[in-house]
Amino acid sequence: DPLLEVLGGGFVVPHQREQKISHREWNSKGVSGTLAEGSLVCFSNEEGLPLKVVKHPEGRYWELVPTHVNLMSESEEDPQHYLAPECVFTVLRKGERDYGFRSWAAEGRLLQATRNRREKPRVTNYNFHGWETWRLVGNTLQNLAWKTDLSAWNISEVRVQVLSMAIEREMKLKSEHREVRKALLLTEEKREEAEGQYKHAIQTCQKQMELAAQQTDELQARLAENLATNECLSTEVLEYQEINK
């Protein structure tokens, strides 16, 4: 089956040779209005990092963990975030206010709340019942079964784009360059930190050497004083012995 590009206006462009499908977060400031059945969304945490589904070591469910994004543009005014498929959910609808979020990266299972309010939502079942239903209450999505909400997460709409392999390689190179710059900055920071520690160690050693020299001078002065005192005592003893002969 050909890959299709779905744009905001609903246009469909057939897959061309040397093209690769990618998900782009195009409404990073959040969803405005209602979400249509079949639309794509992603969740992000308070730090703005998108959340991807990762299978838990126990193997019974998928948890959502923060991940990085690939930036096509380095402009802060118009960033273009390209997401991994593990970050993307398909919207399901029941009635006017009830939503479900299906992750195809988690075998088509749905996002659900748990009985324990301290646990974060996870992807577990194929059902679309109370645990997997999120009702729009005001501007917040609230779980129908447990009344927990998704206020700690942001939700953003996603559209699918087909990128040429050349652009994909360019994105990869830019990402690698950013990682190299980060590594260089981190190395420079560590070098400056090590240099600061080295200077501090030298200053500490110098102070200790100065203190040791001062203590040595004091001990030598006391020793000289004691020697002089002993010499005086020896003289007095000799004089006393001479008198008593």
Side-chain angles (χ1 to χ4, degrees), residues 169-223:
R169 286 192 292 270
E170 181 181 355
M171 287 173 54
K172 184 177 180 181
L173 286 175
K174 286 186 176 181
S175 178
E176 290 175 351
H177 289 163
R178 280 193 298 273
E179 293 300 322
V180 170
R181 286 199 297 269
K182 289 180 182 178
L184 289 174
L185 289 174
L186 182 61
T187 301
E188 180 66 17
E189 290 176 359
K190 289 184 176 180
R191 186 193 66 78
E192 292 177 354
E193 182 182 357
E195 184 177 349
Q197 293 176 349
Y198 176 70
K199 289 180 178 179
H200 177 70
I202 290 178
Q203 292 174 354
T204 302
C205 289
Q206 288 176 342
K207 289 180 180 179
Q208 291 176 346
M209 290 173 65
E210 291 174 358
L211 180 61
Q214 182 181 354
Q215 291 175 343
T216 301
D217 292 340
E218 291 176 355
L219 289 173
Q220 287 178 344
R222 290 172 61 184
L223 178 61

Side-chain angles (χ1 to χ4, degrees), residues 73-123:
S73 170
E74 296 186 3
S75 171
E76 295 182 358
E77 297 179 356
D78 183 27
Q80 299 179 15
H81 296 171
Y82 289 87
L83 305 169
E86 291 83 3
C87 299
V88 180
F89 290 79
T90 301
V91 176
L92 307 178
R93 292 290 301 270
K94 283 196 302 188
E96 293 293 327
R97 297 189 298 161
D98 293 346
Y99 296 86
F101 301 98
R102 187 186 303 279
S103 171
W104 296 106
E107 303 175 354
R109 301 167 191 260
L110 276 72
L111 181 71
Q112 69 165 67
T114 66
R115 186 179 281 107
N116 188 345
R117 285 179 169 271
R118 291 178 296 179
E119 293 180 346
K120 295 180 180 179
R122 59 180 60 169
V123 178

Side-chain angles (χ1 to χ4, degrees), residues 13 28 45 53 95 108 112 138 161 166 194 203 213 234 239-240:
V13 179
S28 59
N45 62 11
V53 294
Q112 69 165 67
Q161 289 188 326
Q203 292 174 354
S234 297
E239 291 177 352
Y240 179 76

